[in-house]
Amino acid sequence: QVQLVESGGGLVQAGGSLRLSCATSGSIFSTNAMGWYRQAPGKQRELVALIISDVGTNYADSVKGRFTISRGNAKNTVYLQMNSLKPEDTAVYYCYANIRIDYARSGDYWGQGTQVTVSS
């Protein structure tokens, strides 16, 4: 059973910073990708940032230059450093991972979500 557990959300003023963390646990053979999505009220879930193993990173245009995604040394964690936050960054942020659990099977996994609220 694979689990993703997020932490680090909260309330911050515009221009401030937050750091989100996500740790994976369970039966993991390898991790193909890890990243963050977000969903604001009344909107669809959207990609924020993604690390694809052995390929690179991908950011939404709206966060480029402000957010930085990184992996932990043990590769079972992913972080999102969010600087210069704007009210439009307010959303529930979900950790995502595409995980291979054995040679034949891989799948998408999601965390429970953490609320980020940016006040103006």
Side-chain angles (χ1 to χ4, degrees), residues 14-37:
S17 298
L18 283 174
R19 179 178 166 91
L20 304 183
S21 301
C22 175
T24 60
S25 63
S27 179
I28 298 172
F29 181 74
S30 65
T31 302
N32 300 318
M34 289 192 76
W36 297 89
Y37 285 71

Side-chain angles (χ1 to χ4, degrees), residues 99-120:
I99 291 172
R100 182 169 298 281
I101 57 175
D102 59 35
Y103 280 107
R105 296 178 293 169
S106 63
D108 295 327
Y109 296 86
W110 295 90
Q112 78 283 1
T114 185
Q115 177 70 45
V116 171
T117 302
V118 184
S119 63
S120 58

Side-chain angles (χ1 to χ4, degrees), residues 1-117:
Q1 185 78 8
V2 175
Q3 288 187 319
L4 278 62
V5 179
E6 304 127 333
S7 62
L11 173 64
V12 65
Q13 287 189 331
S17 298
L18 283 174
R19 179 178 166 91
L20 304 183
S21 301
C22 175
T24 60
S25 63
S27 179
I28 298 172
F29 181 74
S30 65
T31 302
N32 300 318
M34 289 192 76
W36 297 89
Y37 285 71
R38 68 186 180 187
Q39 187 166 18
K43 296 187 177 181
Q44 290 189 332
R45 191 174 295 190
E46 63 175 2
L47 172 70
V48 177
L50 189 68
I51 294 179
I52 303 173
S53 298
D54 301 324
V55 174
T57 59
N58 187 29
Y59 292 92
D61 288 344
S62 60
V63 306
K64 284 180 181 177
R66 300 188 298 122
F67 291 10
T68 303
I69 190 170
S70 61
R71 295 278 294 272
N73 289 335
K75 302 299 182 184
N76 66 338
T77 56
V78 65
Y79 306 98
L80 185 68
Q81 178 66 42
M82 305 185 292
N83 299 327
S84 302
L85 282 160
K86 304 175 181 181
E88 50 263 43
D89 294 317
T90 295
V92 177
Y93 283 69
Y94 296 90
C95 181
Y96 160 84
N98 183 269
I99 291 172
R100 182 169 298 281
I101 57 175
D102 59 35
Y103 280 107
R105 296 178 293 169
S106 63
D108 295 327
Y109 296 86
W110 295 90
Q112 78 283 1
T114 185
Q115 177 70 45
V116 171
T117 302

